[in-house]
Every structure is written in structure tokens, then in C-alpha cells.
Amino acid sequence: MNRKTPNLADQSPSEMPLSDEMLPAQRREHLIEWFENNHAASSQDLARMFGISVSTVRRDLDLLASEGLVKRTHGGAVALRNRSTWEPTTDEARITAAEEKQAIAREALTFVKPGQALLIDTGGVVCHLLADELAKLNIPLTVITNDLYVANALTYRENIALHVPGGALRFGSYSLLGSPGEEFLKDIRCDIFFMSAAAVDETCVSETVLELSQLKRAMVDAARDVILLADSARFMERALHRTVPIERISRIITDDGLTAKSRERFPSPSPAFHIAPMQPQDRA
């Protein structure tokens, strides 16, 4: 299966001759075929590609989502994949549930207080967005991260004491993995670990890569509180490598795509769920 992020601008309506007048079943068949070969798109992009109205696209996506064929987001939809061994590229992840991830990063910022020591996870776009938000603050912080994007975003911030333990760069990502980081974390005690995940269910957090899972375990052990940042598309799935049991997570910040019924399957009172509010500028 081709998982390359599509260049939407290169796909004109003439290449995909649909219309609002076409039979709904025919339109949806074309949409299903598109999502079989691509990962994510906004409603606006799909409307432009297929030459149909945004309202028609939204109705079609709602129906496909109700049938379990795609995962609806506020701005469009993403293809459903088996998360056991599959993970999106960094570029794909950046455009998938973009509005939800931005809202989650804003909500995470409300837990940051002056003088705290923070661990920022590697391997998740939502952690990159959090780093961008932290860079705007003017409060004293200590930040430890094994993610080169996070480190770059917080470089030259006089109010932030930045530590990058090091390791071997994982190809195609910003992640530094391996024993240097794990050894460094053994003697670290931080206030909060902002964690990302490939998949989450009511029993555990899991990853597709063993080395990444091992590093995250060391980060969990080094923090007083663990706050998981995960958009709703990552829930009720399990990746290949179990990272930590769900009871090790203090709080989960996600979007309103995770239903109350799904949240009820998790143990209580920990982790506590926080639903990140969307702001008016977020696309509907």
C-alpha cells in the first residue's frame, strides 16, 4: 500500500471527475479508494480534488466514519490503519488531526508552572507543538528531551535550561534513542513527563518501535506526574511493544473525538481525562 503523503495541489478535479449530482454510493466508493492509498486530508482539500462541495464531502465522510471506514477529525478525516506495526511518517502525522493536536498542546500548557522541570517526549508531533508553545513563555523552566525538534524550538531561550541526553538518531525522525539517554534518565527526577504514544487502550500505552518504548519507560520512571498527549485516533488500539500500564499515567489530554463510552473503559480515578477545547479559529 502506498503511504506517501499526497501532494493535494497536484491532483486536479479533472483527474477525479466526481460531482454533487453523482450517486452518493459512487462518490463514497471513490473516497474509499482514495483513503486506501493515502492517509489523511481536510474536507476542503477533498472538495477541491473531487470537484464537489465541502458540505457534500462532510456528509460522505460522516457516513464512512459511521461504517468504520475512516476516522473523522474536525478538519477532515484519516484512514484507519492497524497500529500494531504501522506508523505514519512525520509529514503524515503533522497533517493528521492537526487541529486536535494543536488544542491538546494548548491544554497541556495549562499544567506548566514557573520553576518546573519538564520531560518532553520524542516521536510525537503533539510534543513538537507543545515545544512551540513553551518557546513563547517567559517563565523559568528546565526541559529535558531526546527530540531534536523540541531541542531546536527551545534553543536560545534564556529562561529555559535545556538538556539533551543524546543517543543515536532514528532515521526519518527527530528521535535520539539508545543507552546514553536511558542511562542519563536513571538519575533524573522531573515534575512532569509530557508523553506521546503510537496507541492507547484501557490496559496500556504502546509503541511500534522497541527502542522508543524502552526510552519512554525510562522517562516515565524519571517523572512525578505523567501526562499523556494523544489525539482520539490513537485510542482503543495497541501497537506491537507495550510501554507502560495505563495506571502509570496520571492524566490524559485528548480531543472530543474520544467518546464518553470509550473513556468509561479506563480505570478510575487515574488516569484523569482532560478534553482539550477547540478554539473558534480551529476548522469545523
Side-chain angles (χ1 to χ4, degrees):
M1 180 178 293
N2 177 21
R3 291 174 182 146
K4 182 180 179 182
T5 303
N7 185 345
L8 302 180
D10 292 339
Q11 301 187 47
S12 64
S14 62
E15 294 174 308
M16 300 177 178
L18 306 189
S19 70
D20 290 332
E21 289 73 31
M22 178 180 284
L23 290 175
Q26 291 177 302
R27 282 199 320 272
R28 290 163 192 151
E29 189 65 31
H30 281 281
L31 285 169
I32 291 170
E33 182 179 356
W34 190 90
F35 277 106
E36 285 176 348
N37 294 286
N38 301 279
H39 182 58
S42 69
S43 299
Q44 289 85 351
D45 287 332
L46 289 170
R48 185 172 66 253
M49 279 191 293
F50 289 112
I52 56 181
S53 67
V54 172
S55 60
T56 297
V57 168
R58 287 172 176 162
R59 287 195 300 271
D60 288 345
L61 292 179
D62 286 341
L63 181 59
L64 295 182
S66 71
E67 296 174 351
L69 299 174
V70 300
K71 174 71 176 181
R72 198 72 163 85
T73 69
H74 284 277
V78 299
L80 294 177
R81 298 285 191 266
N82 182 347
R83 290 189 179 273
S84 177
T85 57
W86 179 83
E87 61 178 315
T89 66
T90 300
D91 288 341
E92 286 176 331
R94 196 165 293 280
I95 66 170
T96 303
E99 293 81 15
E100 289 86 342
K101 289 172 182 173
Q102 189 64 61
I104 290 167
R106 289 194 301 260
E107 183 69 12
L109 207 65
T110 66
F111 293 92
V112 176
K113 308 299 180 187
Q116 285 181 326
L118 310 177
L119 264 170
I120 309 292
D121 201 359
T122 186
V125 169
V126 68
C127 292
H128 296 175
L129 296 172
L130 175 59
D132 292 336
E133 295 295 329
L134 288 173
K136 302 173 186 176
L137 300 181
N138 192 29
I139 61 175
L141 293 169
T142 297
V143 174
I144 300 170
T145 186
N146 275 56
D147 190 286
L148 294 182
Y149 182 100
V150 174
N152 183 67
L154 301 178
T155 301
Y156 300 121
R157 299 298 188 272
E158 292 184 359
N159 58 304
I160 295 179
L162 178 64
H163 301 268
V164 183
L169 180 67
R170 182 188 174 206
F171 178 77
S173 75
Y174 294 92
S175 303
L176 296 173
L177 305 179
S179 58
E182 293 173 30
E183 289 297 321
F184 177 86
L185 289 165
K186 287 180 180 179
D187 295 321
I188 294 297
R189 294 295 178 267
C190 287
D191 295 294
I192 301 175
F193 171 35
F194 287 109
M195 183 181 190
S196 65
V200 189
D201 66 12
E202 70 272 24
T203 66
C204 70
V205 177
S206 50
E207 290 293 336
T208 59
V209 178
L210 177 60
E211 292 82 2
L212 191 56
S213 184
Q214 292 171 332
L215 178 66
K216 288 172 186 269
R217 280 193 213 111
M219 289 179 164
V220 168
D221 290 340
R224 183 187 64 205
D225 292 322
V226 179
I227 301 181
L228 179 65
L229 312 179
D231 64 86
S232 57
R234 297 179 182 271
F235 281 83
M236 313 322 295
E237 300 275 1
R238 184 174 294 186
L240 185 61
H241 300 284
R242 174 186 172 99
T243 303
V244 293
I246 200 66
E247 289 83 3
R248 295 294 304 273
I249 308 300
S250 309
R251 305 174 190 273
I252 295 176
I253 303 178
T254 188
D255 59 83
D256 60 8
L258 184 66
T259 65
K261 183 176 181 180
S262 293
R263 297 198 299 271
E264 289 171 0
R265 295 173 60 177
F266 286 75
S268 181
S270 183
F273 276 91
H274 299 262
I275 304 301
M278 304 291 287
Q279 292 187 355
Q281 67 265 28
D282 296 323
R283 291 183 292 180

